[in-house]
Each structure stands twice: as structure tokens, then as C-alpha cells.
Amino acid sequence: MNKPATPLNSKLSLKLSHEHWLIFGLASTVLVILALVTALTYNMGWSKLATATLVFFLSYPLIWLAWRCYHFWRQAIMQLTTYTQVIREGETNLRFKAQHQDNLLAELQQEISALAIGNAHKVQQSQTLENVLSHILDSWPIPVCLFDENNQLSYRNIAMKEKIQQPMLIGTAAEDLGFVLNNGNLSHSQFNQQWQCQSISYLFQQKQCHIFSALDISQPLHQQQSVTQQNLIRVLAHELRNSLTPMASMADTLLCNDSFNEDQVRLVLSRIRQRSNRLLSFIEQYSQLSHLPIPKSSWFDFKEVLDEAKDMITEPCSITFQGNRQCFADIQQMAQILINIFKNAQEACDKEHCKIDVNLYYPQESSQGSYKTEQVIEISDNGPGFGNLDNALTPFYTTKSHGSGIGLSLCAEITRNHGGKFNIENTDNGAKITMSWPVK
């Protein structure tokens, strides 16, 4: 099949630029004028010599006028081009020649000048901001450094240089400084577990860059460890004292007698065995709290697990449920949470009838119900509330004579292992427990 013929003007428009079209138009105008003059003199009966002489003398001013038109157009464009190039290089000492207000280039000149002023202002602001940030980061005690898209050092503050203890020249590769890039995150062997490191990737001028910072958390860690040890020692001392003091007293009673009564000895030994079993149970519960398995979360029917937990409560207790039945968690550990909370509420309730309300909902669920990011479980009772909110979640702390102090601590630890939060509070009607964690 033959292709349709392309018009001549279309071919020329594809090959010729605006400048070439201007030259072509001026040259055509000069040639047309000379051709008309030649035809006019021929009709008037002029001789060939006279016609040639006239065409010769007319061609010079016509060519000069055409060249001036071309030069005027080209000079204005060149001035704008030069002015724009100077602005791009950041120079401000060159000014564009003022144009007449009726000139078509006057408005373009004003727009370019406004653009130049705006760019200069942005550059000045950027430089000022960079200087301020540089001064702030230099005075920070937190080590900070920046790497460009080629993982080459572009900035480091004084704290970083002191910590690395090696020359950190701008442009040095990250690996030469001891940094390791893994899955977009930077790390360094100088920063051990006592440092909280953070690596952030960001786009700067459409280029992927990295910022690395490290925070010394050794002091907060030591303080937290000290607080944890003090709480543990306090609880252990309380439990050991409650068990060993009666045992020592009963042993002293036997030793003070001149003769041993078999029934009395058996009674003392049975009491000592009872207290020993209590200590062994205490140690087993502590081991259970310290070695919780990693939760294997999945979607399940929360109402079914709730009904199973109800069957574990032997005393009269009314448990009502409302909300969404779909729950995302480790089903076994969720059942353990419910059992512990229900038992704790039932044991603490001083009324004839214990009432527990359970509610499960998604605070960020869309109207169509297809967008869920976090689930919340609220459990409230009609009991007296928590006797000591500050120590209610402390392991093995209890205000009940027959309690172990492990139930709520275990529930809080399971919730944290799910990546969530475990909050307790007292309300006008009793105690309230709120658990929340993200869902997939």
C-alpha cells in the first residue's frame, strides 16, 4: 500500500527552524521586490543595462534592511538567552536591556526578571536554613552524618567525628568509614547495644540520600534496669519473707522443746512443705512470665473464645459481649488473657453478683468495613476497682491474701508481645482494662 503524499510545506516545517523560516522569508521578500522592479522597468521599455543598474543599486538597501530586521530579532533573543544563562549560574550583576513597553519581549523580560528574583530569594533562604541547621547539628551531642545518593559523606557533626575516631572527609564512601548499608539502613560497629541508632532515607533534589544518627541510651537503660531490679527485689523479698518467717518460727518452736511430739513434728513439717510448695509455684510462675512464646496471630471468632473463657469461671458471674466478632491475635494467648482477667474481676468483686462487660471494636474502620489498622478490646466490671494502680501490673504484687500477682502482669506482657498497649484504670462503676494492638 502506498503511503499518502506528504505536502511540501509539512516537510519544510519539520526541517526548518524559526530562524531559518525568518531568513527564508526575508530573502523571499527581497527577491520578490527585485523581481517586481525588473518587471516594471521591462514594461516601461528600459534597456537591460538600465534595469540591471537599478536592480544592483536597490539590492544593497534591501539586503541591509533585511539584515537589520534579522539582527534586531536575533539580538533580542540572544540577550534573553544570555540573561537566562547568567541567572542559572547564580550571577546577579548582569541586567537585561530595557525594552519599550509595547515591545512583545517586554513582558517576557519582566517574567524572567521576576523568576530570577524569586530564585535568588529561594537560594538565599536555602543557604540561611542550611547554615542554621549546620550550626545546630554541630552543637548537638548526638552523632549525626549525611550521605548522598552515591553513599558518600556529605556532612558530619562534631559528635560523630569524636565517636568514630577516624578522619571523616567529605566525599568519603560510607563503607570506608565503617558503615554498612543493609536493606536501606545504615549501621556501624562503633555503636553497640547501648546506642539507639536510626537510619532514614529521604529524597533530596530527586536523589536518594541517607541520614544516620545515634542516641546514647546507656544511662536510661541503667536507670530502667535499676528500677526493674528494685521492684523485683521488693517483690521477691515480700514473698520470701511471708514464706520463710513462719517456717523459721515453727522450727524455733520445735527446737525449744526438750522432747519432740510426733503429732507436732508432723504438723510443722506439713506446714513447711506447704510453704515450700508455694515458693516452688512462685518460681514456676516467674519462669512462665519470662519465657512467653512468640504470638502466632490469625483471624478468629472472638465470641467462641469468650464462651470458652466463661466456662472456666466457677463462681456466679455475668459476662456480656458487644462489638465486632472478628479478632486478630494468638488464639491461645487471647484465651489466657480472658481467663486471667475474668478470674481477677470475679475474685475482686465484693458484690453478690459480678458483672463483666466486653467490647471489641476498630476505631479506624471505614464505613465499608474493609479498612482496619488497630483493634481495641475493653473489659470493665462492677467491682471496687484496683486498690493500687501504680503496682497493679508489677509482677507478683497482689493485694489479695490468696492471689499470686501474676495474672495482670501476664496479660500485659502478652499484649506487649502483640505490639500493643495494656492500660488499666478505675471508673465510677469499677475497674476497666483496655487492650489495643495493630492488625494486618
Side-chain angles (χ1 to χ4, degrees), residues 338-377:
L338 294 177
I339 293 172
N340 288 338
I341 294 178
F342 291 166
K343 285 185 176 181
N344 186 78
Q346 193 276 326
E347 293 172 357
C349 186
D350 55 359
K351 299 181 181 180
E352 295 182 0
H353 186 74
C354 177
K355 183 180 179 181
I356 302 175
D357 296 323
V358 182
N359 183 21
L360 189 154
Y361 62 93
Y362 300 91
Q364 297 183 4
E365 184 176 3
S366 66
S367 58
Q368 292 80 13
S370 60
Y371 179 70
K372 304 173 182 177
T373 59
E374 184 185 43
Q375 70 180 2
V376 178
I377 302 176

Side-chain angles (χ1 to χ4, degrees), residues 377-393:
I377 302 176
E378 295 179 347
I379 303 177
S380 56
D381 59 45
N382 62 339
F386 296 101
N388 191 333
L389 282 173
D390 295 333
N391 294 311
L393 298 181

Side-chain angles (χ1 to χ4, degrees), residues 134-385:
S134 178
H135 287 302
I136 293 176
L137 292 178
D138 282 339
S139 60
W140 264 19
I142 301 175
V144 178
C145 59
L146 306 178
F147 294 93
D148 58 17
E149 70 280 4
N150 297 320
N151 292 330
Q152 295 180 346
L153 183 67
S154 58
Y155 172 79
R156 72 279 182 267
N157 64 354
I158 299 175
M160 178 62 73
K161 291 190 292 185
E162 292 177 351
K163 178 60 181 177
I164 297 298
Q165 294 182 352
Q166 74 176 77
M168 298 187 67
L169 302 178
I170 301 298
T172 306
E175 56 269 18
D176 295 337
L177 297 174
F179 288 92
V180 177
L181 183 62
N182 186 15
N183 295 328
N185 294 321
L186 288 168
S187 60
H188 197 282
S189 59
Q190 285 285 354
F191 301 98
N192 52 24
Q193 295 180 352
Q194 293 185 349
W195 290 83
Q196 183 180 7
C197 301
Q198 189 172 20
S199 178
I200 302 175
S201 299
Y202 64 97
L203 286 177
F204 179 70
Q205 295 180 350
Q206 303 301 320
K207 297 178 181 179
Q208 190 79 15
C209 302
H210 302 277
I211 179 171
F212 177 85
S213 63
L215 177 64
D216 187 3
I217 58 173
S218 57
Q219 189 66 23
L221 281 177
H222 293 159
Q223 293 177 354
Q224 183 63 33
Q225 291 174 357
S226 177
V227 172
T228 303
Q229 291 174 358
Q230 291 175 6
N231 291 334
L232 182 59
I233 291 173
R234 176 171 55 83
V235 173
L236 290 175
H238 174 76
E239 189 68 24
L240 291 175
R241 188 182 298 110
N242 289 342
S243 297
L244 295 179
T245 299
M247 294 168 63
S249 177
M250 289 184 290
D252 289 339
T253 301
L254 286 179
L255 293 175
C256 290
N257 295 332
D258 295 334
S259 61
F260 295 102
N261 184 286
E262 183 177 354
D263 294 336
Q264 186 180 19
V265 171
R266 288 183 177 276
L267 178 61
V268 170
L269 290 178
S270 64
R271 295 285 178 82
I272 292 176
R273 183 179 62 180
Q274 182 181 3
R275 293 288 181 175
S276 300
N277 290 335
R278 180 179 176 85
L279 285 177
L280 290 175
S281 176
F282 175 83
I283 295 173
E284 182 180 356
Q285 290 173 348
Y286 178 79
S287 176
Q288 180 185 9
L289 181 64
S290 303
H291 298 87
L292 283 173
I294 299 175
K296 298 179 180 179
S297 300
S298 61
W299 290 100
F300 59 89
D301 191 335
F302 183 78
K303 186 65 169 56
E304 295 180 358
V305 178
L306 184 66
D307 293 338
E308 293 178 4
K310 285 182 182 180
D311 298 336
M312 301 296 295
I313 308 300
T314 57
E315 300 295 333
C317 187
S318 174
I319 301 176
T320 60
F321 169 73
Q322 62 179 353
N324 200 310
R325 294 186 54 159
Q326 293 299 314
C327 180
F328 183 79
D330 187 304
I331 187 171
Q332 301 297 333
Q333 296 185 13
M334 188 71 248
Q336 187 66 35
I337 288 178
L338 294 177
I339 293 172
N340 288 338
I341 294 178
F342 291 166
K343 285 185 176 181
N344 186 78
Q346 193 276 326
E347 293 172 357
C349 186
D350 55 359
K351 299 181 181 180
E352 295 182 0
H353 186 74
C354 177
K355 183 180 179 181
I356 302 175
D357 296 323
V358 182
N359 183 21
L360 189 154
Y361 62 93
Y362 300 91
Q364 297 183 4
E365 184 176 3
S366 66
S367 58
Q368 292 80 13
S370 60
Y371 179 70
K372 304 173 182 177
T373 59
E374 184 185 43
Q375 70 180 2
V376 178
I377 302 176
E378 295 179 347
I379 303 177
S380 56
D381 59 45
N382 62 339

Side-chain angles (χ1 to χ4, degrees), residues 416-436:
R416 284 191 288 266
N417 287 347
H418 280 76
K421 299 178 182 178
F422 189 91
N423 297 320
I424 59 175
E425 59 180 315
N426 289 327
T427 64
D428 296 336
N429 300 321
K432 181 179 180 181
I433 296 175
T434 303
M435 298 172 287
S436 63

